[in-house]
Amino acid sequence: MLRESVDHGWRRPAVKWLMLEAFFTGGVGFYVFYALQPYLLELYGDPEAYQIAGLVAAIVAGAQILGGLAAPWIRRLFRRRTSALIATTVGSAAALVAIGGLTSFFAAIALIVVWALLYAAELPIRQAYLNGLIPSQQRATILSFDSLVGSAGGVWSQPLLGRSADLWGYGGSFALSAGITVLALPFLALSRRQRAPADVRVSPRRRRAAGAAARDGGRPAPAGAAT
């Protein structure tokens, strides 16, 4: 399993850079989800209003549904999957900086919705890109290795972010979370530079044409056939 993870994952530049991106973003999402709950209690002004803390869980759960539904629409805005990933990553970082600098409870709620939607929409786009880069026979192994790299990122980032909250408050830790998120952008750019076929959006028409060509054994189309 380790050999397959290295051969079909780490030694494939497009996959390797995508995994290293997860090393920086894997722990940020978990930290932000849990830190937002006491942060909202601070903004609300009542440390015992636990129903307010439950809003974060409700917002993220709803965003996972809406973000998943919005992912195909967001994907159509970009020719390359990596372009969509870069855009959502930048948007997530900007939302975190804005959340950390707010003093308004309702404005924070609105930006949490934005952050959660971007975070949720990014996941299926990234997963589709990664699946397209991996041979089907080794897909489960490589996906597990990718999850391992993301979890390893959480090992160092979450204690760091927790300590930053002790020193600078939750707002400062969200700004640092945005900084860690931005560190993932060069790796997305490096994965994009590989120009992998899985990175390019293929229209349904071209996909059907490619499937028909494969079924015909690659024979040329008859004369006068539509292209």
Side-chain angles (χ1 to χ4, degrees), residues 81-155:
R81 288 190 169 100
T82 48
S83 298
L85 293 175
I86 290 171
T88 54
T89 300
V90 171
S92 296
L96 288 174
V97 171
I99 290 170
L102 288 174
T103 58
S104 169
F105 172 79
F106 293 102
I109 290 291
L111 282 171
I112 290 171
V113 172
V114 173
W115 170 79
L117 285 172
L118 290 172
Y119 186 78
E122 178 183 358
L123 294 178
I125 297 173
R126 183 183 186 276
Q127 198 71 15
Y129 178 41
L130 187 59
N131 286 343
L133 295 171
I134 303 170
S136 58
Q137 294 84 353
Q138 289 81 25
R139 185 164 295 158
T141 301
I142 306 304
L143 292 179
S144 297
F145 190 65
D146 175 63
S147 178
L148 175 65
V149 174
S151 298
V155 169

Side-chain angles (χ1 to χ4, degrees), residues 42-65:
E42 285 186 1
L43 293 180
Y44 191 68
D46 183 358
E48 297 183 358
Y50 299 112
Q51 72 275 14
I52 299 300
L55 278 175
V56 175
I59 289 171
V60 172
Q64 288 179 333
I65 298 172

